[in-house]
């Protein structure tokens, strides 16, 4: 893999993991517009490296929150910290079920299905627009909310549905505080990412070519830095109700994708 390709893919992964525009959807659109041969295929190892980078950027941004949660959990009392961790675990269940039992069906939706991507981007835009108009509250995510948000995260496995957009919007529409909704959304994905990394590592499918070390390192750094920026920026945008800009963007890209699929594909 070329260094420039590693940088581009790293930045895309870092930004779209947190910004509500769907990383999977943009990758599918890129392949369709540029052609499969023009967009370098990500090896499993490179994908794992980029996911690890974005997970690490989340940990850095929320390092104080994570340390507080760990300290609180080690008290072995049913306190706010242990309850929050339990809500995170509960939110993971829908995505884990989909990942374990419907992996093949899900993968069949990837591979140039531009019409689906376009339609799902429109759905993402609607969710973002509705969330931006919701009134801010001081409500904290409940256990019931956590499971519902988890369902939206599972649905966001579809290409074109933004994970961060779907989970934050669902949380806000359930009446939760916008800043707390963003915090919960970003923290809930960390164990899922590490779970996926562990699954890929244990599968035995990872292959390493020492010649790709530079590209892997550059891609990791690009994804990590972009992730730090996007995660911090997204929290501020949600708090200030600026998601409508991303909704407009998703509508425009979604309509272009639909038009491309219907008339030029």
């Amino acid at each position: 893999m070329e260094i420039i390709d590693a940088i581009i893919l790293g930045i895309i992964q870092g930004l779209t993991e947190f910004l509500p525009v769907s990383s999977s959807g943009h990758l599918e659109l890129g392949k369709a517009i540029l052609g499969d041969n023009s967009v370098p295929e990500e090896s499993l190892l490179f994908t794992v490296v980029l996911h690890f980078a974005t997970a690490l950027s989340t940990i850095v941004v929320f390092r104080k929150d994570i340390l507080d949660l760990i300290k609180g959990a080690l008290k072995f009392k049913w306190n706010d910290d242990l309850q929050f961790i339990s809500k995170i675990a509960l939110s993971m269940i829908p995505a884990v079920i989909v990942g374990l039992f419907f992996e093949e069906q899900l993968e069949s939706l990837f591979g140039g299905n531009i019409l689906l991507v376009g339609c799902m981007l429109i759905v993402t835009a609607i969710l973002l627009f509705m969330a931006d108009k919701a009134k801010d509250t001081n409500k904290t995510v409940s256990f019931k909310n956590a499971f519902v948000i988890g369902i939206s995260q599972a649905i966001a496995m579809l290409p074109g549905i933004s994970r961060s957009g779907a989970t934050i919007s669902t949380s806000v529409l359930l009446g939760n505080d916008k800043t707390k909704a963003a915090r919960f959304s970003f923290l809930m994905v960390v164990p899922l990412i590490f779970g996926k990394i562990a699954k890929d590592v244990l599968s035995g499918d990872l292959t390493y070519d020492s010649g790709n070390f530079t590209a892997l390192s550059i891609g990791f750094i690009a994804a990590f830095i972009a992730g730090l920026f996007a995660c911090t920026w997204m929290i501020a945008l949600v708090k200030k109700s600026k998601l409508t800009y991303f909704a407009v963007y998703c509508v425009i890209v979604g309509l272009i994708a639909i038009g491309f699929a219907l008339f030029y594909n």
Side-chain angles (χ1 to χ4, degrees):
M1 179 180 290
E2 299 293 332
I3 299 299
I4 187 63
D5 295 333
I7 293 174
I8 291 173
L9 289 173
I11 292 174
I12 290 175
Q13 169 64 25
L15 290 178
T16 57
E17 180 66 40
F18 301 104
L19 299 182
V21 294
S22 177
S23 57
S24 60
H26 277 68
L27 182 58
E28 292 299 308
L29 292 176
K31 288 180 179 179
I33 295 172
L34 301 176
D36 288 338
N37 295 328
S38 300
V39 180
E41 293 292 333
E42 295 177 66
S43 67
L44 183 57
L45 177 60
F46 192 70
T47 301
V48 169
V49 168
L50 293 189
H51 281 156
F52 180 71
T54 50
L56 188 61
S57 67
T58 308
I59 292 173
V60 171
V61 172
F62 290 100
R63 58 190 180 279
K64 184 178 183 302
D65 300 71
I66 294 173
L67 285 174
D68 289 342
L69 288 173
I70 294 174
K71 290 178 183 178
L74 291 177
K75 294 179 180 179
F76 300 105
K77 295 180 180 179
W78 191 239
N79 52 28
D80 291 341
D81 296 315
L82 191 55
Q83 288 182 42
F84 187 88
I85 293 174
S86 300
K87 292 172 186 176
I88 292 289
L90 181 62
S91 72
M92 292 170 56
I93 294 176
V96 170
I97 292 174
V98 172
L100 290 177
F101 298 104
F102 302 99
E103 185 175 8
E104 291 185 6
Q105 292 87 336
L106 189 63
E107 288 180 351
S108 68
L109 299 175
F110 291 81
N113 197 338
I114 304 305
L115 182 60
L116 175 63
V117 171
C119 292
M120 293 302 100
L121 281 170
I122 300 296
V123 172
T124 295
I126 293 172
L127 287 172
L128 293 174
F129 181 78
M130 291 172 63
D132 225 17
K133 299 303 178 183
K135 294 181 179 180
D136 203 3
T137 68
N138 292 318
K139 183 181 175 183
T140 303
V141 177
S142 66
F143 280 94
K144 181 179 178 180
N145 289 167
F147 187 75
V148 174
I149 296 168
I151 293 175
S152 70
Q153 178 167 248
I155 295 173
M157 290 181 175
L158 294 170
I161 296 287
S162 164
R163 192 210 68 83
S164 61
T167 53
I168 292 174
S169 295
T170 299
S171 184
V172 171
L173 291 173
L174 288 172
N176 295 302
D177 174 80
K178 292 182 178 180
T179 301
K180 293 176 182 176
R183 174 176 178 263
F184 188 83
S185 172
F186 293 143
L187 289 176
M188 70 187 284
V189 77
V190 173
L192 276 181
I193 291 178
F194 280 116
K196 181 64 168 60
I197 291 174
K199 180 176 179 293
D200 291 334
V201 171
L202 295 174
S203 69
D205 295 331
L206 290 179
T207 58
Y208 174 69
D209 181 356
S210 59
N212 287 332
F213 177 78
T214 301
L216 288 171
S217 301
I218 294 296
F220 175 88
I221 294 172
F224 177 73
I225 294 175
L228 285 177
F229 167 76
C231 186
T232 305
W233 188 33
M234 187 61 184
I235 295 171
L237 289 173
V238 173
K239 187 176 182 179
K240 297 177 181 178
S241 298
K242 300 293 185 180
L243 296 180
T244 298
Y245 298 114
F246 291 102
V248 172
Y249 172 81
C250 287
V251 168
I252 294 172
V253 176
L255 291 176
I256 292 174
I258 293 172
F260 181 84
L262 293 177
F263 300 107
Y264 298 100
N265 198 6

